[in-house]
Structures are given as C-alpha cells and as structure tokens.
Amino acid sequence: MIVPVSPQYGGGALADVLPSVAGALSVPGETDVLGLPPARRYAVLLLDGLGWNLLQRYADAAPYLSSLMPTGRSLTAGVPSTTAVSLTSLGTGLPPGAHGIVGYTSIVPESGALLNALAWDAPVDPRRWQPHGTVFDRVAAAGVATRNVSKSRFDTSGLTAAAFRGSKHRGADTIEERLDATRFASREGQSSLVYVYDSQLDYIGHQQGCDSWQWQKELTAADMFAQRVRAALPRDAVLLVVADHGMIDIAPEHRVDLDAEPALTAGLRLIGGESRFRHLYCVPGAEADVLAVYRERLGDKALVLTRAEAVAQGWFGAAVEDRVSPRLGDVIVASLGPVALVAGRQHPQEAGLIGLHGSLTRDEMEIPLLVDAG
C-alpha cells in the first residue's frame, strides 16, 4: 500500500512560502522559516501542476528549472492537493482548516449547495467564507509594493478575493503581457513582491495526461517562461518558482463511476471534492454504512476516514476552526492506488480527465521550491 504524505505545515509546506518571503523582505513580525535569501524585491512564480517528481522525471525538458533543483527543495501542498486550496494557503499562509477552502468543491452548510471554489458559483461572500487577513495585507501594510499578475478574468473572482486580497491585481492574458506587468511591478517602490500565476501545465495535464508528449512540450514552454520572468526582474530581485500540486495519470479502466453503482450513492446527499479526494456528505444516520461500503469497495486503494479521523490525522492543519468543520465531508475518501472516483451525472466535466490530483501520494503532494537569486 502506498504510504500517504503528511503535509508539512509550519516549516515545509506551500503555506510557508509567502510568510518566509515576508521575513526575507524584512517585514516586521514575519519569520523566514524556509531560510530564503534576504532581499528588497521578490517575485513568486507559481506553475500550476508542476510536481516535484514530474520535474525530476522530465528534467531534460526544463533545463532552466532543473538547473535550480540542486539548490532547491521539495515542499508539500496542503490537503487536498488541489488548486483552490493551495492558492488560498499560499495567499494567507494558513492551512485549509483555518482558511476554510477545503476542496475543489465543498458544501455550503447554511444552504446545502455545493461551492466550486474555482468558479465561485454559489452566492457566498468570499470575505466571510475566508475572513482571515492575507500575507499580502501584511506585506502591503509594511510599505512593500504588492502585485498579483494573472489572467484578467481572475480580477473579480471570489477566489482572488479570498486568497489574494491586499495585492493589486494586474490582468495579463498573454505571455508578453505577463512579462511586461512583472517587469513594471518588480520595480515599484523601495521594496516589492510580485506574484505571477500560469495555469497551462495543469490544463494540458488534465486533458492529455502528465506523462504525455504534449505535457513535456508544455513543460519546455513553462521553463522558457520562467527564464524570461527571471530576465524581466531587476538584478537584485529573487525569483521563487513553486507549484500548487503535482499530478498523476489515471487510465479509464481505473475510474469508478459512483453514479453507476447504487451502493456507492446510497446514504449520500451530496458528493464534493474531486475524483482523487472525495468529500461525501451523508444523510443523517448513514455515515457508518457509507464508511463500511466504501472501505469494502476500495480496499487498500484508498483511505476512507470519518471527518473526525481525517482531522485527527492533521490533514487540514493542527486544528480545524468551528466554522470550517461542517464543510468537510462526513466521510472522506483519499485515493492512494490508481483509482479515481468520478460522478458522471453530478460532475460530468471530471469524467474524461486523464491527469488528476487532490490526494496524498508523493506525485500529488510534493512540489518544488526553486530559488534564483540572480
């Protein structure tokens, strides 16, 4: 059985990156737990879906990034290892049990609706859903010019408001626009922090698989983009390259369609999360039966835990805030073997994806922290 990777909150997780950057920028009260080089200017480039193991496997396709690996290290994503959760941990410096975005989709306890945290498709105020201040808030209050460079449509998204408030968003839909925005933002003020996001690797991985030639081609493009970001920065700036999660390919024959097996939907009122990490919301009194059925069906291919058991494992941080706990599944299924739990009727867009993530395997959890100090 594959041994799950425990998230290293507090000294080796994605949530520790921006607090450490703030410490390296000499922001009062911030601690550089990752030991980053002191500097007046930082840029953080997040390449969505670039797992540490993937970068090692395909190092030849990424000569610039792989040249930084000997002095870099791996970090862990949080749990689940998925974009909305990870970006919020990055922006807030908090584990999901504190910031409250606990999955790609999760229940809104007050209404019973399902919130897709990327699309932000439920009428939920992101500032109430995630009430904590961000690292950007603290850095900006200390006089550091802060910018968030990503696609224009993210400017008004709920996830941006939850994860990145305190930074000024600069919409940039092409590579050249992103480079221009980074070049300008990195020279503002006496001190600066620029966050740059690129999603293409993740997109190709989902559609074609992360072991496909198309993914390797996109990795080369991401490598060139990272090198151009470095060239756009002032000489005294430090570039960090990180990711939000890794990825694993799951063959069609290893997909379990929950909607096609009545025993797997019995006792459920809602299916959340994603295919590698499911939040199962049970009708009252059905939790024990759901737990037993899933454990028997999946065996050693997955960890099937109650909410209390998952919280006790520390998956979501040292503590889960009271407002956050009801958002977690009554039963939580974390796939370890080559299996994906799709829900064809409820979540049809997931059923055809090849590259997946969300769970606690090394391929999904381990991400790079690469440092180029110029």
Side-chain angles (χ1 to χ4, degrees):
M1 184 174 178
I2 296 172
V3 177
V5 173
S6 297
Q8 300 299 302
Y9 304 122
L14 181 62
D16 302 308
V17 169
L18 284 189
S20 293
V21 169
L25 288 168
S26 300
V27 173
E30 302 289 341
T31 303
D32 178 10
V33 298
L34 297 179
L36 302 176
R40 291 188 307 113
R41 302 186 183 279
Y42 259 84
V44 177
L45 170 61
L46 189 141
L47 297 174
D48 196 323
L50 180 62
W52 177 254
N53 287 357
L54 283 170
L55 183 55
Q56 288 184 312
R57 191 180 311 157
Y58 299 116
D60 290 348
Y64 170 63
L65 294 174
S66 59
S67 76
L68 302 176
M69 291 183 76
T71 56
R73 59 174 287 189
S74 65
L75 301 174
T76 67
V79 178
S81 52
T82 197
T83 299
V85 177
S86 287
L87 294 189
T88 311
S89 285
L90 177 72
T92 62
L94 298 171
H99 64 60
I101 294 180
V102 297
Y104 171 60
T105 60
S106 60
I107 197 170
V108 180
E110 296 79 8
S111 67
L114 201 63
L115 171 67
N116 180 318
L118 290 182
W120 212 268
D121 56 356
V124 174
D125 181 350
R127 291 166 180 81
R128 291 175 62 86
W129 192 256
Q130 195 302 96
H132 296 283
T134 69
V135 182
F136 292 106
D137 284 324
R138 304 197 298 270
V139 168
V144 178
T146 64
R147 296 290 181 269
N148 167 13
V149 178
S150 61
K151 292 180 179 178
S152 298
R153 63 186 175 89
F154 296 147
D155 184 23
T156 57
S157 79
L159 184 61
T160 297
F164 299 125
R165 57 181 179 263
S167 64
K168 292 184 179 179
H169 187 266
R170 294 183 65 89
D173 294 325
T174 68
I175 287 175
E176 294 303 329
E177 287 173 346
R178 272 175 231 157
L179 291 170
D180 285 345
T182 300
R183 186 177 294 108
F184 175 81
S186 64
R187 289 166 172 79
E188 290 186 287
Q190 297 299 309
S191 183
S192 59
L193 168 60
V194 185
Y195 164 69
V196 185
Y197 172 75
D198 189 89
S199 63
Q200 197 62 17
L201 265 178
D202 181 72
Y203 175 79
I204 296 296
H206 281 311
Q207 301 299 321
Q208 306 293 338
C210 58
D211 286 319
S212 66
W213 68 264
Q214 294 97 329
W215 193 90
Q216 293 176 57
K217 181 179 178 182
E218 187 56 42
L219 176 59
T220 298
D223 186 74
M224 294 174 63
F225 176 61
Q227 193 164 17
R228 293 183 71 188
V229 169
R230 172 65 260 185
L233 300 175
R235 242 176 237 182
D236 62 346
V238 176
L239 172 65
L240 297 188
V241 181
V242 298
D244 51 349
H245 55 74
M247 190 170 277
I248 185 170
D249 288 349
I250 301 296
E253 60 267 26
H254 293 141
R255 296 174 194 155
V256 176
D257 189 344
L258 306 185
D259 290 326
E261 298 188 33
L264 296 179
T265 54
L268 298 184
R269 60 191 175 112
L270 207 60
I271 297 172
E274 58 198 287
S275 59
R276 291 282 294 171
F277 191 95
R278 283 292 178 203
H279 291 290
L280 303 178
Y281 303 99
C282 303
V283 299
E287 177 187 300
D289 289 340
V290 171
L291 193 73
V293 167
Y294 273 80
R295 282 179 174 169
E296 182 178 359
R297 175 67 173 82
L298 296 171
D300 63 3
K301 293 180 181 177
L303 290 172
V304 183
L305 305 182
T306 66
R307 176 189 297 161
E309 288 170 338
V311 169
Q313 291 286 328
W315 285 0
F316 311 107
V320 174
E321 295 184 9
D322 290 343
R323 67 184 177 82
V324 175
S325 182
R327 303 175 190 174
L328 301 171
D330 300 297
V331 173
I332 295 172
V333 184
S335 297
L336 295 181
V339 64
L341 305 183
V342 302
R345 286 198 299 271
Q346 297 184 54
H347 305 287
Q349 73 281 4
E350 294 179 27
L353 301 181
I354 300 172
L356 301 170
H357 53 81
S359 197
L360 292 94
T361 67
R362 288 187 61 216
D363 282 341
E364 293 161 280
M365 284 288 288
E366 295 186 359
I367 55 175
L369 174 67
L370 306 177
V371 183
D372 188 340

